[in-house]
Amino acid sequence: MESITTANRDINELTSAARLACKLLFQECYKAEIRDIFITETYRSQERQNYLYAQGRTRSGQIVTWTKSSNHMARLAWDIAVAPPKKLYDVATLNKVGAIAKKLNITWGGTWPNNIDRPHFEVKANWIMPKGYKLEGDVVVPTSSNVRVQLIKEEELTLSQYEELKNEIEALKKELEKKVNSNSSADVGTSHKEDYEWAKSVGLTDGSNPAGALTRQQLYTVLKRYHETFVQNNSVVSSTHKEAWEKLIASGITDGSNPRALATREQVGTMINRMIDLR
C-alpha cells in the first residue's frame, strides 16, 4: 500500500498520453539547454490528496494545494522542481519550461490567474502530440536532483558512457606505450644478431630500437633501401670495376648479367672452373 506521506515520481504511473507529453516536454527542455529539472510527483491517490489538502488547514504546515480533486489523481499531471545550485522552485527556470509547455499544448499551472502553481503541468485525456514534434530518442526524465535531463539518440553515447570509454582507451594507450618502450630498449636476440649486423652494415637500418615494433612506413623504407642497394643498381657496373668486368666478360668467365648482385657459392664455383679451363 502506498504511503500518503511519500510522493510518487514514476512517470509510468501516468496515462500513455500524459507520459508521452511529459517526455516530449523534457526532450524540448533538453534541446533548449534546460537540463536541471526533475520530477517531484506524478500520480496521487485520493488519500494522499486529502492528506496534502489538510496541510495548512487541519494539519500544521504551509498550504500546498487548494483542492481535494486534482488531475494528479487522474494520472494526467506531474510536478517538477529545479536542481541546485538554483532554488528548488526557481521562477526563471520554471517560466522557461512553462513557455515550452505552451507550444506543446500542455497546461502549465503558472498561467492560472487565481492559484498560480508554476511547478505543475497537466494535459487533457485526449492530448495528442502537436504537428512538427516527435520523440527523437530515449528521453531520460530525472526523478532526482542528482540526475540531469538527457536525450539519447540511436547510436549515441551518454556522457557517462563516453567518459567510461575514453578512460578505457587512455588506459590501453598507456599500456601499449609501456610495452613499446620496454621492447625498444631490449637487446638484439641471439638468433637475429648476425642478420641485424648485416642489415646495419649495408645501410638498410640505422640500428635503433632493434626489438621495437615495426610500422608499415618503416617497412617501406627498409624495402626501398634494399631495392636501391641490391636490385635497382645490379645492372650498373661501378667505374672502378668496369675494366676488370669487361675482361671477365670477354674471356667468358661471366655472361655479364647482374654485375653488382650478390653471387652464390655455385656461381663463384662456376667462374673459378672457367678460369681454370682458360689456363
Side-chain angles (χ1 to χ4, degrees):
M1 182 177 179
E2 290 185 1
S3 170
I4 61 173
T5 62
T6 303
N8 184 339
R9 300 186 179 191
D10 186 358
I11 67 169
N12 291 316
E13 291 288 347
L14 299 174
T15 65
S16 58
R19 184 167 60 252
L20 179 59
C22 181
K23 286 186 175 182
L24 183 63
L25 176 61
F26 273 75
Q27 171 184 280
E28 296 306 302
C29 285
Y30 173 88
K31 292 166 64 176
E33 298 188 352
I34 305 170
R35 302 170 185 177
D36 53 354
I37 56 175
F38 62 99
I39 295 286
T40 58
E41 190 156 17
T42 55
Y43 167 70
R44 283 183 200 151
S45 65
Q46 182 66 65
E47 291 76 17
R48 175 161 170 78
Q49 188 66 36
N50 294 341
Y51 172 81
L52 292 176
Y53 184 81
Q55 183 171 316
R57 295 181 175 86
T58 60
R59 186 167 55 81
S60 62
Q62 183 179 352
I63 290 178
V64 292
T65 184
W66 55 89
T67 179
K68 289 185 178 181
S69 178
S70 166
N71 271 326
H72 281 284
M73 296 161 53
R75 303 177 188 271
L76 295 170
W78 63 92
D79 293 336
I80 70 170
V82 185
K86 295 178 183 177
K87 292 182 178 179
L88 188 63
Y89 298 115
D90 179 67
V91 173
T93 301
L94 293 177
N95 285 347
K96 291 177 183 178
V97 179
I100 293 173
K102 184 178 180 181
K103 296 178 182 179
L104 305 177
N105 297 331
I106 296 172
T107 301
W108 176 43
T111 61
W112 292 338
N114 298 323
N115 298 295
I116 294 176
D117 190 357
R118 290 187 180 88
H120 182 91
F121 297 84
E122 63 180 50
V123 293
K124 297 184 182 300
N126 61 350
W127 180 90
I128 58 174
M129 187 180 295
K131 288 184 177 180
Y133 290 95
K134 66 176 183 178
L135 289 183
E136 300 174 16
D138 186 13
V139 184
V140 176
V141 180
T143 57
S144 164
S145 61
N146 296 324
V147 180
R148 292 296 180 264
V149 182
Q150 294 183 59
L151 174 59
I152 307 172
K153 296 183 179 181
E154 187 176 357
E155 297 183 355
E156 286 189 355
L157 298 175
T158 65
L159 181 59
S160 60
Q161 289 173 326
Y162 168 77
E163 290 296 336
E164 183 179 352
L165 185 59
K166 180 181 176 183
N167 291 337
E168 289 180 0
I169 292 174
E170 289 298 326
L172 287 173
K173 284 174 63 178
K174 289 180 180 178
E175 185 66 24
L176 181 60
E177 288 173 1
K178 183 178 178 182
K179 288 182 178 180
V180 170
N181 291 335
S182 63
N183 285 339
S184 296
S185 60
D187 294 331
V188 180
T190 305
S191 59
H192 301 289
K193 192 171 182 63
E194 182 179 348
D195 297 335
Y196 172 71
E197 294 298 337
W198 172 82
K200 281 201 304 179
S201 68
V202 296
L204 295 181
T205 177
D206 61 6
S208 60
N209 301 330
L214 182 68
T215 65
R216 291 184 180 182
Q217 60 185 5
Q218 290 172 324
L219 176 60
Y220 299 153
T221 299
V222 171
L223 291 175
K224 183 174 182 292
R225 289 173 181 171
Y226 180 86
H227 177 78
E228 291 173 347
T229 303
F230 300 106
V231 179
Q232 188 175 37
N233 295 328
N234 283 350
S235 61
V236 181
V237 181
S238 61
S239 58
T240 56
H241 301 288
K242 188 171 184 179
E243 184 179 351
W245 183 250
E246 289 176 350
K247 287 182 180 180
L248 290 172
I249 296 174
S251 62
I253 293 174
T254 178
D255 61 5
S257 62
N258 299 327
R260 299 182 66 183
L262 297 177
T264 64
R265 293 182 180 182
E266 62 184 0
Q267 288 172 326
V268 172
T270 299
M271 286 188 286
I272 292 174
N273 283 326
R274 287 174 181 173
M275 290 176 67
I276 293 171
D277 291 340
L278 287 175
R279 287 186 174 186

